[in-house]
Amino acid sequence: MAEKRIIKCPNCGVFNTNKEYCTNCNTLISHQKKRELKADIVKQNEIDKVIHERENPNLTERLKKHPNILYKITGWILYSAFTIVSIIGAGLAWFIAMVAAG
Ligand SMILES: [Zn+2]
């Protein structure tokens, strides 16, 4: 890479050339690297959330599997309601994204 990037360390004020970490105090100074790390954290959070939901079935899931038919029906009603709400939410998010992009 021919491009020279000089970044001033926000922690100690030392100037670093083409470095991701400060040579003086080892603080992360690369903006690109920071973005990458942030994206990784967001991705990891999403994965954790899915795993958590898998391991801890919520009330509707438990009701759906309940031996009592009345609980089961309640579970399915709640499940349908949640599904409809999330579909509307997703549609709304898509709409907002489209408006923001346009
Ligand atoms: Zn530093």
Side-chain angles (χ1 to χ4, degrees):
M1 214 162 43
E3 194 197 342
K4 223 179 178 189
R5 283 181 308 128
I6 300 168
I7 304 164
K8 190 187 179 191
C9 173
N11 188 43
C12 68
V14 164
F15 286 94
N16 297 271
T17 311
N18 295 336
K19 291 274 192 300
E20 288 181 343
Y21 293 90
C22 175
T23 50
N24 187 45
C25 67
N26 223 25
T27 299
L28 180 62
I29 51 173
S30 164
H31 293 298
Q32 203 193 335
K33 190 87 183 166
K34 266 185 201 166
R35 267 205 300 273
E36 281 172 20
L37 285 175
K38 208 172 173 188
D40 280 351
I41 290 165
V42 168
K43 221 183 287 168
Q44 192 57 48
N45 282 346
E46 288 297 313
I47 292 164
D48 286 348
K49 212 165 79 183
V50 171
I51 290 168
H52 183 80
E53 279 171 8
R54 285 252 172 90
E55 287 176 351
N56 304 283
N58 59 27
L59 181 67
T60 43
E61 288 301 318
R62 285 208 301 272
L63 283 173
K64 268 159 66 186
K65 292 189 182 83
H66 202 279
N68 188 319
I69 189 72
L70 281 175
Y71 283 101
K72 221 173 203 169
I73 290 165
T74 312
W76 279 105
I77 291 166
L78 281 173
Y79 176 74
S80 313
F82 279 136
T83 307
I84 290 161
V85 166
S86 48
I87 289 167
I88 291 166
L92 211 65
W94 177 84
F95 179 75
I96 290 162
M98 284 298 123
V99 168

